[in-house]
Amino acid sequence: MLYHLFYLLHVKVTAFNVFRYITFRTVLAILSALIISFILTPRAIKKFQEWNINNGKREDVPDRHETKRHTPTMGGSVILIATIIPTLLWADLRNEYIWLVTGVLITFGIIGYFDDIRKLKGLNGKGVPGRTKLILEIGCAFAVSVLIYSKGTFATQLAIPFFKHATPDLGLFYIAVCVLIIVGTSNGVNLTDGLDGLAIGPVLTVCATFLLFAYLVGNIKFAQYLQVFYVKGAGELTVICGAILGSGIGFLWYNAYPAELFMGDTGSLSLGAALGTIAVMIKQEFLLVIVGGIFVMETLSVIIQVLSFKWRGKRVFRMAPIHHHFELKGWNEEKIVVRFWIISVILGLIAMSTLKLR
């Protein structure tokens, strides 16, 4: 919106030429999202407390989480607002990728919203039935994947980190892979969102990594030099990554221990789906497994726990997802969160190293 205004003005006023640069608009998106988050979040906390929108009682968490039951939730709605507004202000709205990621944020945010509402009104913190939620997620992810696939210029090859010549072409099967990535990442972030600041930390790491990759793969010279897929128009995703980064930092200010606000499924499902969609668009599908290793670990812990109990009648972990296992081992919450953040940063650095190790 503002991008187009300044783009027109730069013809007459040379100073406005700076608004043509993705890097400058990304900085503006980060700052705008941060300011919006700082303005809206305290007001949201106050309103949610008045409306009794809180975490409620849950049976799938350790007993010491009882102290969190009155903490407001659905903070993801603020994250979405603080992300979408700067995106509309500073991104090039002629870019299809921007609209697709924004659409994913909104649709998965709506699914998460109804899940949160159901948890508030239901018994024992139960939300939308898992099968129903999964069907809705797959449907949304499938629609986006088909739209991405239908772009004639979009490659259906997979980029495998550390191997520059390993680029298998999946053809039509690529749609199924996209759906798996989007839905898997969405639920991975959702499972990670169990302690104060735990999920948003790795989200910021993944987002910062993808911000860099989006800029590089969208620039034909950098892409050729680094031997990564060049994706025309993907550079504009840098702006929306910046918006997510800014809104996430603003949210973390209030979500850090002891949390004043939880993101709820409204935030975790939408942020995870957006990151999965961006990974597909910038052709870094396998890289997401590395940089999003925390989400993978949390998801695998749940799968292993369920399968082990079903087949052997025994549990591998004291409780899943795995962060609850460490809680029951006696680790305090701050230690778990910080250690998971450290692992996430290390994985982010490993992911960035793949740019040269090919």
Side-chain angles (χ1 to χ4, degrees):
M1 193 178 298
L2 288 180
Y3 161 73
H4 295 290
L5 174 61
F6 289 121
Y7 184 84
L8 293 173
L9 286 174
H10 95 273
V11 177
K12 297 181 179 180
V13 185
T14 307
F16 287 124
N17 190 50
V18 70
F19 288 94
R20 299 178 62 187
Y21 295 105
I22 291 175
T23 49
F24 184 71
R25 289 185 284 114
T26 299
V27 172
L28 290 177
I30 294 172
L31 295 176
S32 300
L34 193 59
I35 292 170
I36 293 172
S37 183
F38 280 149
I39 292 173
L40 293 183
T41 307
R43 291 168 172 78
I45 293 172
K46 185 178 179 180
K47 286 296 182 182
F48 290 165
Q49 288 173 335
E50 292 176 2
W51 298 336
N52 200 31
I53 300 177
N54 53 52
N55 198 40
K57 181 176 178 59
R58 295 178 59 184
E59 296 181 340
D60 57 346
V61 295
D63 292 337
R64 67 182 186 182
H65 282 242
E66 180 68 20
T67 58
K68 301 175 183 287
R69 64 180 299 182
H70 298 297
T71 304
T73 188
M74 287 178 64
S77 56
V78 181
I79 297 176
L80 290 178
I81 294 171
T83 297
I84 293 171
I85 291 177
T87 299
L88 296 178
L89 288 176
W90 303 116
D92 183 354
L93 301 184
R94 297 168 298 182
N95 188 291
E96 296 177 10
Y97 294 129
I98 292 296
W99 287 111
L100 286 174
V101 177
T102 302
V104 166
L105 278 169
I106 294 172
T107 52
F108 276 79
I110 292 173
I111 295 172
Y113 169 80
F114 282 109
D115 195 37
D116 286 333
I117 291 295
R118 178 101 179 229
K119 287 177 181 177
L120 292 172
K121 296 181 178 180
L123 297 174
N124 301 321
K126 300 296 183 181
V128 175
R131 181 174 297 180
T132 302
K133 188 163 64 172
L134 186 60
I135 291 172
L136 291 172
E137 291 171 356
I138 291 175
C140 293
F142 179 76
V144 173
S145 301
V146 170
L147 288 172
I148 294 173
Y149 177 83
S150 65
K151 286 178 64 68
T153 57
F154 196 85
T156 56
Q157 296 168 283
L158 290 179
I160 301 178
F162 305 110
F163 300 94
K164 64 182 179 181
H165 296 302
T167 56
D169 192 340
L170 302 183
L172 189 62
F173 186 67
Y174 186 76
I175 294 176
V177 173
C178 291
V179 172
L180 177 63
I181 291 170
I182 295 170
V183 175
T185 310
S186 178
N187 286 280
V189 176
N190 183 241
L191 290 171
T192 307
D193 185 32
L195 299 177
D196 298 358
L198 180 59
I200 196 64
V203 165
L204 294 176
T205 302
V206 175
C207 196
T209 305
F210 282 175
L211 185 152
L212 172 64
F213 273 82
Y215 181 76
L216 295 175
V217 303
N219 185 301
I220 191 168
K221 292 183 179 179
F222 285 135
Q224 289 177 345
Y225 173 70
L226 295 169
Q227 298 183 12
V228 294
F229 279 108
Y230 165 65
V231 183
K232 185 178 180 181
E236 202 64 30
L237 291 171
T238 309
V239 179
I240 199 167
C241 285
I244 296 173
L245 197 62
S247 62
I249 293 171
F251 174 76
L252 180 58
W253 184 274
Y254 299 94
N255 185 237
Y257 183 88
E260 301 172 60
L261 179 68
F262 298 138
M263 71 167 68
D265 286 11
T266 307
S268 59
L269 290 179
S270 57
L271 288 175
L275 292 177
T277 305
I278 293 171
V280 169
M281 290 176 173
I282 63 175
K283 303 301 301 172
Q284 300 300 325
E285 302 90 348
F286 275 106
L287 191 77
L288 179 59
V289 177
I290 298 175
V291 68
I294 292 295
F295 307 136
V296 174
M297 179 177 69
E298 295 275 15
T299 303
L300 287 177
S301 70
V302 173
I303 294 173
I304 291 170
Q305 185 85 324
V306 171
L307 293 179
S308 176
F309 190 76
K310 182 178 180 180
W311 292 343
R312 301 167 57 240
K314 298 180 180 179
R315 292 180 174 87
V316 176
F317 308 103
R318 296 185 181 184
M319 184 177 282
I322 198 169
H323 57 262
H324 291 321
H325 169 78
F326 291 117
E327 276 192 283
L328 294 178
K329 286 190 66 175
W331 291 20
N332 62 53
E333 186 168 340
E334 305 97 303
K335 179 175 288 188
I336 297 171
V337 172
V338 171
R339 286 182 174 176
F340 275 45
W341 284 358
I342 292 172
I343 294 171
S344 179
V345 171
I346 293 172
L347 293 173
L349 294 173
I350 293 173
M352 290 182 187
S353 73
T354 65
L355 286 169
K356 291 301 294 180
L357 299 178
R358 294 176 182 269

